[in-house]
Amino acid sequence: MSQDNGAHGRTGATNEEQKKHDAASTDASLNARAKTPRKGGKGPKWWLWSLIAVIVVSALVVGVNTFFTNRQAGADAAAGGSTAASRQSDTVSIGLKLAPVNLDIRHQSGSALEQILIGNVYESLVSRGSDNKVHPGLAKSWEVSKDGLTYTFHLNDKMTFSNGDALDADDVAWSINELKARKYYNYDQVKNLDKAEAVDPTTVRITLSAPDSNMLWYLTGRPGLVYDKDGTWDEKTGALGSGPYTVASFDPSDKIVFKANPKYWGTAHKARTENVIIRFLPDDNAGINALKSGDVQVLSPITATLAEPFRKDSDYVVKEGDGSDKFVLAFNMTNAKLADKRVRQAIRYAIDHKQIIASRGGVDAALGGPIPKVDPGYEDLTDLYPHDEAKAKALMKEAGYSESKPLELTLTYANVYGTELGDQLKSQLKPIGIDLKINYVEFSTWLQDVHTNGDYDLSLVDHAESHDFYKWATPSYYYHYDSKQVQDLYAKALVATSDDEASKYLAKAARIVSEDAPADWLFSWRVEQAYAKGVKGYPQNLSQTVLPLWQVTYTPNK
């Protein structure tokens, strides 16, 4: 028999004790009055009748209010369920790992800056979609001359900046010419761009000194951003663009707050949520707690291990997206030990990519060459060097090494990537006759010693950039890979006048690079994101570089 331990119950009381206790209220003063009979025995005093009347009237009022409240709730449900519990929120909070140092996108480096500002606050002449392809932006259409030297862009009508100033061809031409003249960040991407001209208020002509098949893609980024030539703003803490959002506040140690631009010129990308808050959460545990508590509705990226509890919880959604991140194990091509191609091939055969990917949660994708799936020229090259320890041992034996007579090599990489990858590579290479020493360094040290000075045997880094095949055609880059055939194919890809033609040259060049084995591509990092069930429209692919937020909404389910 269950026991009542509520307001009128006492744990451990006998039945008789409980009956005596229940006979009166828990309020001692009311108990005393209730037990005191009216003098003369002629019934209750006048005040008791008054009290009863008040109680009755109050009950009637509550009943009437409840009736009309329920009636209104029923009407709301019939009209589509627009009750407070199911109404779209006017604010969405997103947790990201990286924070920009400041908002000066013309001078400050960093992919985090591009990720949060481009397409949200600033807009480019043409835009980049989550498919990593070029789409209309401020220009609704364009033509390219047969010789690839002249690009003519037709702008949308009646465009404005967030301050109300008109945006026309003069602003576009001025922005691009200023980029070149003042050498703003990434100006070197469009080195073949000679000048931009305003033909009329809605037409811009760009002239190139030499064809460049990457030109349109580069114009989706910083080189194509358009600024108000007559506007002024604090470039470190603010922004003045033409996008669907404006910057309400910014604190690099905490968050950036976006507010819907009331003067936004477009309709297709008009903000669907009034306020978007991006919180900077570099610590994994802080990010997890923020998602659990509802402080953020989206957390990206999140490791597969930490995402697993959310995957099992019906209140959350976990998804993976393709990106351009490539975890590259580079071999220093100027190193005498690695000049022997057999050694480089043996390393590639010895690495068990499936094991590495499985240890990370099984989300990442295998990558057998220098071009990721989202980039032009991609081809699945994973069959070139499948895991084959026997073949790796044979190649090392030919080169004069064995487990009893090992080749000593040092793997230098930044400690931000943790120790597990280094430990796995050391273990996988030991049986084929390689004694791998691990040198964990600060990222700043890696930049100086490896990236700048080229002082290393093997190195490991996540190359996140898209369209970065040029590094394999640049012998001075820290890979020091020098192939005349690859350089010629890349040059042909640049001057190609069609995307298909350029992709074919890139694919040929990428296959040669992979066959030469100047590196191993451990995996293509697939970004995992977790978010509350009521979130819609959050970008899935390329979210580390392209993050359009105008379509994101949040409708609480509880």
Side-chain angles (χ1 to χ4, degrees):
M1 180 177 177
S2 63
Q3 193 173 41
D4 181 9
N5 295 326
H8 298 286
R10 294 180 299 166
T11 304
T14 65
N15 288 341
E16 283 303 313
E17 289 174 332
Q18 189 65 51
K19 287 177 183 177
K20 290 178 183 177
H21 181 77
D22 288 347
S25 167
T26 55
D27 188 316
S29 64
L30 287 179
N31 288 338
R33 290 179 185 178
K35 292 174 182 177
T36 304
R38 182 185 176 197
K39 289 181 181 180
K42 293 184 180 179
K45 295 181 179 180
W46 65 269
W47 56 264
L48 186 57
W49 287 112
S50 299
L51 178 61
I52 293 172
V54 169
I55 292 173
V56 171
V57 172
S58 297
L60 287 173
V61 171
V62 170
V64 170
N65 285 341
T66 301
F67 170 80
F68 283 105
T69 299
N70 291 338
R71 184 177 180 181
Q72 182 61 46
D76 287 344
S82 58
T83 61
S86 61
R87 194 173 296 129
Q88 179 183 314
S89 174
D90 65 356
T91 302
V92 176
S93 293
I94 298 166
L96 301 181
K97 265 190 178 298
L98 300 178
V101 177
N102 60 59
L103 300 184
D104 187 0
I105 199 165
R106 292 196 280 200
H107 298 93
Q108 181 63 49
S109 63
S111 59
L113 195 54
E114 300 166 7
Q115 178 191 23
I116 64 175
L117 289 186
I118 296 180
N120 294 316
V121 178
Y122 291 110
E123 292 181 302
S124 44
L125 187 54
V126 285
S127 68
R128 186 187 316 170
S130 293
D131 56 1
N132 213 29
K133 297 184 184 301
V134 178
H135 296 270
L138 296 175
K140 59 185 177 182
S141 63
W142 56 89
E143 299 96 38
V144 182
S145 62
K146 289 184 179 180
D147 60 6
L149 296 177
T150 305
Y151 289 65
T152 304
F153 296 91
H154 305 284
L155 307 182
N156 289 286
D157 297 320
K158 298 179 180 178
M159 296 188 294
T160 61
F161 292 99
S162 61
N163 62 355
D165 287 356
L167 189 165
D168 58 21
D170 284 336
D171 295 291
V172 176
W174 174 81
S175 298
I176 293 173
N177 291 330
E178 282 282 287
L179 169 89
K180 297 284 289 184
R182 298 183 179 273
K183 297 184 178 180
Y184 291 144
Y185 193 80
N186 280 355
Y187 81 96
D188 53 334
Q189 288 185 337
V190 289
K191 62 182 179 181
N192 291 342
L193 196 160
D194 186 28
K195 63 178 178 178
E197 304 171 89
V199 178
D200 59 48
T202 59
T203 308
V204 176
R205 181 168 56 234
I206 290 178
T207 306
L208 276 59
S209 57
D212 187 342
S213 61
N214 283 328
M215 184 59 63
L216 276 175
W217 190 86
Y218 286 140
L219 289 174
T220 66
R222 297 199 200 205
L225 295 182
V226 177
Y227 308 96
D228 184 355
K229 64 185 180 65
D230 299 318
T232 57
W233 66 97
D234 186 332
E235 292 182 308
K236 300 287 187 182
T237 61
L240 174 56
S242 60
Y245 284 101
T246 61
V247 175
S249 65
F250 169 64
D251 179 351
S253 65
D254 184 19
K255 64 187 175 184
I256 185 168
V257 178
F258 288 158
K259 191 169 185 61
N261 176 8
K263 296 184 175 69
Y264 186 57
W265 59 271
T267 55
H269 291 180
K270 189 175 180 63
R272 295 182 182 176
T273 299
E274 181 66 21
N275 309 291
V276 173
I277 301 172
I278 296 177
R279 298 190 180 277
F280 307 124
L281 301 169
D283 180 75
D284 284 340
N285 289 328
I288 294 297
N289 291 334
L291 183 59
K292 284 181 178 178
S293 67
D295 191 36
V296 299
Q297 287 77 55
V298 180
L299 184 62
S300 176
I302 180 174
T303 65
T305 304
L306 294 176
E308 195 58 30
F310 295 104
R311 195 185 296 276
K312 297 175 180 177
D313 191 330
S314 61
D315 288 333
Y316 297 92
V317 175
V318 177
K319 288 187 176 181
E320 301 84 32
D322 291 322
S324 55
D325 292 72
K326 306 163 288 294
F327 270 70
V328 181
L329 178 67
F331 311 149
N332 189 344
M333 296 296 286
T334 62
N335 187 298
K337 299 174 183 178
L338 295 163
D340 190 332
K341 184 176 180 179
R342 293 171 299 185
V343 172
R344 304 196 305 272
Q345 290 179 314
I347 293 173
R348 294 204 65 188
Y349 280 122
I351 295 174
D352 188 341
H353 300 91
K354 289 183 180 179
Q355 183 189 80
I356 290 175
I357 291 172
S359 71
R360 291 172 52 85
V363 173
D364 301 315
L367 181 64
I371 297 180
K373 188 177 181 180
V374 298
D375 278 2
Y378 169 76
E379 179 185 2
D380 185 353
L381 300 175
T382 53
D383 61 340
L384 291 181
Y385 290 94
H387 177 54
D388 191 331
E389 189 175 297
K391 187 174 287 190
K393 285 181 176 179
L395 285 165
M396 288 298 289
K397 186 177 181 180
E398 286 181 26
Y401 303 101
S402 64
E403 195 167 6
S404 60
K405 185 186 175 183
L407 168 64
E408 293 186 355
L409 291 171
T410 299
L411 169 62
T412 302
Y413 74 95
N415 53 19
V416 295
Y417 299 118
T419 61
E420 187 174 4
L421 280 172
D423 292 342
Q424 286 176 309
L425 291 170
K426 182 181 179 71
S427 175
Q428 291 182 4
L429 296 182
K430 188 177 186 299
I432 71 167
I434 292 180
D435 180 9
L436 189 66
K437 295 183 175 12
I438 313 295
N439 181 26
Y440 303 107
V441 298
E442 296 291 330
F443 192 73
S444 58
T445 302
W446 182 89
L447 283 172
Q448 185 62 43
D449 293 351
V450 177
H451 190 267
T452 302
N453 297 335
D455 183 14
Y456 72 103
D457 294 345
L458 279 66
S459 188
L460 167 64
V461 73
D462 171 22
H463 282 286
E465 302 89 346
S466 179
H467 286 63
D468 64 349
F469 184 82
Y470 69 90
K471 295 170 182 175
W472 298 103
T474 308
S476 60
Y477 196 67
Y478 83 93
Y479 303 147
H480 300 304
Y481 176 67
D482 191 354
S483 168
K484 184 67 165 58
Q485 190 178 8
V486 169
Q487 292 160 26
D488 287 345
L489 285 168
Y490 182 64
K492 289 179 179 178
L494 284 182
V495 299
T497 54
S498 75
D499 292 340
D500 287 343
E501 185 183 6
S503 292
K504 287 177 183 177
Y505 285 125
L506 287 170
K508 287 181 181 178
R511 177 172 283 274
I512 293 170
V513 172
S514 186
E515 288 173 344
D516 282 351
D520 184 82
W521 294 268
L522 299 178
F523 53 85
S524 177
W525 181 37
R526 300 190 76 227
V527 176
E528 199 154 20
Q529 51 199 224
Y531 50 87
K533 192 175 182 180
V535 172
K536 302 293 182 186
Y538 190 80
Q540 185 173 342
N541 293 328
L542 291 162
S543 60
Q544 291 296 94
T545 52
V546 182
L547 194 66
L549 298 174
W550 57 268
Q551 58 191 332
V552 179
T553 62
Y554 174 55
T555 304
N557 292 317
K558 293 182 180 179

